[in-house]
Amino acid sequence: EEREDDLNSTLAHQFEHIKGYGQSFNHRGKFLVVVTDFGVHSPKALVMDIIKTLWNDHQIANSVIMVPNVYESVISFDLYTWFPYESGQCGKTQEVVLIDRCVLGKDRPLSTNISLFSSKTPLNIHGCPIRVSTWESRPNMMLAKHNKTDGGITYEYTGTEAVYLLLLSEMRSV
């Protein structure tokens, strides 16, 4: 556990260093995180921690985590990712997915029929809420009303752009 904490703190330190370059950091980019420590007891739990760090601290969704794994005296690297809107996760890291396994010594170590960086935003977001940032610009976007609840304030808008947004949110994949 102490070793995995060290890996997470190293990752956090590296991202703070990368973010120091200002405009060169793009959280919408594709990220491959390679763990080189073979002493990881629970690769899936470590990957979950890494993905939570990437998402919660840096809003990085498009990531693949490569973790070494030794099983039955075979050395492999397991490739994990997550899909923020699958299985009702709604942008909360609840499950990671093993997408491929790279076995050392094989002629073809990776599958050729998968995409490592597949789309993370599906056409159907399975009932997850949509958050939109907007401002009032008549007649395109006009504040109709707002409600105070225990969870915060909800604003309702009307206007041309609001209607388009509602139509888009109701679209389903064909």
Side-chain angles (χ1 to χ4, degrees):
E1 289 180 17
E2 185 176 309
R3 182 181 275 171
E4 291 178 10
D5 287 341
D6 289 343
L7 290 172
N8 283 327
S9 64
T10 299
L11 178 66
H13 176 73
Q14 288 176 349
F15 266 98
E16 290 308 315
H17 181 72
I18 291 169
K19 288 175 96 173
Y21 289 106
Q23 298 300 325
S24 65
F25 178 75
N26 179 6
H27 72 274
R28 291 184 196 100
K30 297 176 181 178
F31 289 81
L32 173 64
V33 177
V34 179
V35 177
T36 58
D37 190 352
F38 276 88
V40 176
H41 294 289
S42 175
K44 198 168 185 175
L46 175 63
V47 168
M48 179 68 81
D49 289 343
I50 291 171
I51 286 178
K52 282 182 179 179
T53 298
L54 294 176
W55 178 249
N56 295 339
D57 297 349
H58 309 289
Q59 289 73 48
I60 294 172
N62 209 356
S63 60
V64 172
I65 315 302
M66 187 171 176
V67 181
N69 195 356
V70 179
Y71 64 99
E72 296 175 12
S73 71
V74 175
I75 298 174
S76 72
F77 287 91
D78 294 345
L79 300 165
Y80 289 91
T81 193
W82 78 301
F83 298 94
Y85 300 103
E86 292 294 319
S87 306
Q89 291 192 73
C90 294
K92 293 184 176 85
T93 317
Q94 297 173 350
E95 183 180 340
V96 294
V97 178
L98 177 68
I99 55 174
D100 206 351
R101 177 169 281 150
C102 174
V103 179
L104 297 181
K106 282 181 116 182
D107 290 339
R108 185 171 292 198
L110 286 174
S111 302
T112 55
N113 59 349
I114 63 161
S115 171
L116 293 180
F117 292 100
S118 56
S119 174
K120 302 294 181 179
T121 309
L123 294 175
N124 182 349
I125 60 171
H126 305 286
C128 296
I130 299 172
R131 292 185 185 100
V132 177
S133 176
T134 188
W135 61 91
E136 195 165 349
S137 173
R138 294 183 180 266
N140 299 323
M141 191 66 73
M142 299 172 291
L143 180 62
K145 64 180 179 176
H146 68 279
N147 300 318
K148 292 183 180 180
T149 62
D150 293 338
I153 301 174
T154 303
Y155 296 94
E156 291 183 30
Y157 285 87
T158 186
T160 311
E161 289 182 8
V163 171
Y164 287 141
L165 183 61
L166 288 172
L167 288 172
L168 285 172
S169 69
E170 292 172 1
M171 291 179 65
R172 300 189 191 277
S173 59
V174 179

